[in-house]
Amino acid sequence: QFLEADLTRKGLSLFFLTDLSNKRPEIFDTFNTLVNIDVIRKNLKGIVIDSVILIGVDTSFAGAIISVFPNASFSRVRPRRKRIVFWRRILADIKYLIEAATVIAINAMTSKPKEAASEFSDKKKYYFSIYPQTFRQDNTDLRFGNLVTSGDKFLVSIIADGMHQQVSPIRYWQLVKTLPSCKFCVVDQGMRLTDIAQSVYWFIRLHVFLLRQQSTKYVFGGVDLSGYIREEMLWSISRVTRLIIFSNSLSRSIGRLEISELIYIVFEFPLGRAISYVLGKEFPSIIRTGFNHADYSWRFLNYFMAEGEAGISPPYLERCPIPDRIMAEDTLSAEIYRYNGYKNVSVMSQVHRLSYLEGIASRKESNISLIAPGLHDGGELIKALHQLIVNNPKQTFILKAHPRGGRDYIDKLPLLGNLELSEEPIEALLTRVGRVYVSYSSVGLEAHRLGIPVSLVLIPGKICWSKLLDFQAKKGVSIYSGFAI
């Protein structure tokens, strides 16, 4: 559909920059709903359903379940509003464009980034990351660690797509001033007002495309997923139009540098795909190395592509841009990458983001438990553990919110005397807790490596993609089936 509507730009189908293409179950319920409905359908096989009462579900789920029982009568109680709403996305995009324009003005009023000169005359190895999100106070990167040598440099983005982190223009100005130019190149300094104009152009075109798809039915396995697909597309329009700005500024930034190799994170996601595209299309001599930076399993859908979908070389109209080679954290991740068409996959000799574990000596205090949510499921995890917390009043449960996750659920925490919210560093908490409760957070695997007992919480209706599910037969890992209230 994207190709038919000519939603392509300089040899790239914009579909590959969408979250729809990326299949993100931590953001969207599309895949979870498909599997849940499949379970319902199998368990009700041979039973004639006359009526269905939908309690607390949104219109996308209602449309999906109605398609499975077309002859039944339906009624809805306490319908839930859509999670992704048109006017909210519009306001968020307007806010991003205003902030981007302000950043461009700040760049114009401050010193210009140096053009290719003596300090960039020798080709260097660069590491791409999001600043300051993944950096320590001494400007060393949490993920790359001592893999970065004294002769290497950083290519960083502070604004990025406004979704990986949100930084105000004033904060952007403050951060740029503190970065040593001899070690850091800031991608955002390459932004221009013409980029915003292009973003607005594609914003309009993509919304027109979405409007024309309103009557289109998206059915998989007999389940109507149209509502979900349109929600994913609405969210993806924000992503794509922002990545157009990012891609342009990235191209300008790389064009003035002498780079031999770029090692970058999130290469599996839209932002990383934009990097793979820009380098593959405009700078083919630069080696593109994708850097795996998390623990995931075969059940983590984001990494998966159709057979033959991945493409190293342009054009990227029917092939998704990927790096030239991949550095995987372990053999399981390497197998997943190879299965999905990634080439030249090797396993790291050392996972630098886990180096902090080396200095931790856990006391394993049996009366203290840690709850570590993932990026997007804090509220659901607390609901699933609510009864456990209530039933164990002498046990102290410490909630450590994900540092980059949403925090709206924290204001709605149940008032329980044995549930505490902590802002302590995770390494400090792991020195004393006697058990860790997680859903998909990598903290669970890190605690397991330290010998701390771990309970993997299975949230009802959600597919679990933690590697801990594969370790449940091993000592120290147990399964807790949560019940949402």
Side-chain angles (χ1 to χ4, degrees):
Q1 287 182 338
F2 269 65
L3 293 178
E4 290 172 357
D6 194 28
L7 298 177
T8 64
R9 182 175 179 269
K10 298 180 181 179
L12 171 70
S13 170
L14 294 181
F15 173 73
F16 293 123
L17 300 186
T18 66
D19 294 281
L20 177 62
S21 167
N22 213 182
K23 303 169 290 292
R24 304 191 64 173
E26 81 277 24
I27 297 180
F28 310 112
D29 283 333
T30 313
F31 189 55
N32 285 314
T33 294
L34 183 64
V35 175
N36 283 323
I37 288 181
D38 190 54
V39 171
I40 292 171
R41 191 163 47 182
K42 287 178 179 177
N43 281 277
L44 295 179
K45 187 176 182 179
I47 300 175
V48 178
I49 302 299
D50 298 313
S51 63
V52 177
I53 302 174
L54 300 174
I55 305 172
V57 303
D58 61 20
T59 54
S60 296
F61 182 87
I65 200 74
I66 287 171
S67 67
V68 177
F69 303 108
N71 299 321
S73 62
F74 283 82
S75 59
R76 297 180 65 184
V77 178
R78 298 194 304 276
R80 189 178 65 192
R81 66 182 182 182
K82 289 183 177 181
R83 181 171 169 270
I84 301 169
V85 183
F86 173 76
W87 65 267
R88 286 185 179 177
R89 294 310 322 152
I90 294 291
L91 291 178
D93 291 334
I94 292 173
K95 177 176 178 288
Y96 173 81
L97 291 176
I98 292 173
E99 290 180 344
T102 306
V103 165
I104 293 171
I106 290 173
N107 290 336
M109 290 185 293
T110 55
S111 59
K112 296 286 185 181
K114 295 180 180 179
E115 301 299 323
S118 57
E119 69 170 308
F120 296 124
S121 58
D122 296 327
K123 289 193 174 183
K124 303 285 186 181
K125 182 185 293 185
Y126 276 74
Y127 291 81
F128 173 84
S129 199
I130 307 295
Y131 188 88
Q133 185 185 92
T134 64
F135 285 79
R136 300 183 180 92
Q137 289 186 344
D138 61 355
N139 280 342
T140 57
D141 187 272
L142 295 167
R143 296 182 175 112
F144 299 130
N146 57 19
L147 191 67
V148 182
T149 66
S150 59
D152 300 333
K153 298 178 182 293
F154 283 107
L155 183 65
V156 299
S157 179
I158 298 173
I159 302 300
D161 58 6
M163 293 178 167
H164 285 79
Q165 72 176 7
Q166 294 183 351
V167 175
S168 70
I170 293 176
R171 180 59 177 153
Y172 165 82
W173 178 58
Q174 293 171 338
L175 291 170
V176 168
K177 286 198 305 180
T178 64
L179 285 175
S181 59
C182 60
K183 191 74 173 179
F184 286 82
C185 174
V186 181
V187 172
D188 312 315
Q189 290 182 312
M191 291 195 301
R192 302 289 184 269
L193 287 176
T194 53
D195 301 334
I196 294 181
Q198 289 182 36
S199 178
V200 172
Y201 167 77
W202 283 108
F203 179 87
I204 294 171
R205 280 200 59 180
L206 287 165
H207 272 288
V208 170
F209 169 77
L210 180 60
L211 183 63
R212 289 174 176 172
Q213 303 302 317
Q214 290 300 309
S215 60
T216 302
K217 292 288 185 181
Y218 296 96
V219 180
F220 183 87
V223 180
D224 186 353
L225 299 173
S226 303
Y228 287 109
I229 299 301
R230 278 189 275 275
E231 283 187 55
E232 292 198 34
M233 267 301 303
L234 181 59
W235 180 275
S236 294
I237 290 174
S238 295
R239 181 84 68 182
V240 172
T241 52
R242 298 174 187 206
L243 286 179
I244 286 171
I245 296 176
F246 172 79
S247 298
N248 288 348
S249 57
L250 177 68
S251 176
R252 295 188 191 98
S253 297
I254 293 178
R256 66 182 179 82
L257 304 175
E258 292 291 336
I259 303 178
S260 61
E261 178 183 3
L262 181 64
I263 301 173
Y264 51 106
I265 56 173
V266 297
F267 63 92
E268 314 94 336
F269 298 89
L271 180 68
R273 291 177 176 183
I275 296 173
S276 296
Y277 158 71
V278 170
L279 269 66
K281 180 73 164 54
E282 301 180 25
F283 307 97
S285 63
I286 298 176
I287 299 172
R288 298 166 296 172
T289 302
F291 190 87
N292 172 214
H293 67 287
D295 287 301
Y296 292 116
S297 69
W298 286 100
R299 295 170 299 281
F300 190 62
L301 200 64
N302 301 35
Y303 288 7
F304 283 72
M305 290 186 282
E307 184 177 355
E309 183 180 353
I312 289 180
S313 302
Y316 303 111
L317 297 174
E318 297 181 351
R319 297 289 182 269
C320 177
I322 63 171
D324 299 299
R325 65 189 189 102
I326 305 297
M327 297 172 65
E329 286 195 348
D330 53 32
T331 54
L332 177 58
S333 296
E335 289 174 7
I336 294 173
Y337 286 129
R338 293 188 185 107
Y339 177 85
N340 287 284
Y342 290 94
K343 308 298 182 183
N344 306 312
V345 181
S346 62
V347 178
M348 302 178 200
S349 59
Q350 179 185 0
V351 180
H352 298 273
R353 71 178 178 88
L354 300 179
S355 59
Y356 82 96
L357 297 177
E358 297 171 2
I360 296 178
S362 177
R363 300 194 300 270
K364 300 185 184 68
E365 299 178 24
S366 59
N367 63 327
I368 303 177
S369 294
L370 173 66
I371 301 174
L375 187 62
H376 299 283
D377 70 344
E380 292 173 324
L381 183 59
I382 291 297
K383 287 181 180 179
L385 290 171
H386 182 273
Q387 200 59 49
L388 176 73
I389 298 171
V390 170
N391 293 343
N392 294 272
K394 294 183 179 180
Q395 184 81 12
T396 298
F397 292 88
I398 300 175
L399 171 64
K400 172 62 176 177
H402 194 288
R404 300 191 305 276
R407 301 177 68 89
D408 292 346
Y409 70 95
I410 292 177
D411 296 331
K412 304 173 185 176
L413 287 176
L415 297 176
L416 302 174
N418 59 335
L419 175 62
E420 302 175 2
L421 179 65
S422 176
E423 298 297 335
E424 282 188 82
I426 193 66
E427 53 266 35
L429 293 170
L430 289 177
T431 61
R432 56 193 180 98
V433 299
R435 179 170 290 276
V436 176
Y437 290 89
V438 295
S439 51
Y440 63 84
S441 170
S442 61
V443 171
L445 277 152
E446 290 155 26
H448 178 64
R449 292 180 176 107
L450 291 171
I452 302 172
V454 180
S455 289
L456 177 62
V457 182
L458 303 183
I459 297 175
K462 300 290 184 180
I463 296 167
C464 175
W465 59 76
S466 171
K467 284 180 184 175
L468 287 171
L469 194 59
D470 304 305
F471 295 165
Q472 59 181 299
K474 295 187 177 183
K475 183 179 179 181
V477 178
S478 60
I479 301 298
Y480 179 81
S481 297
F483 295 91
I485 56 172

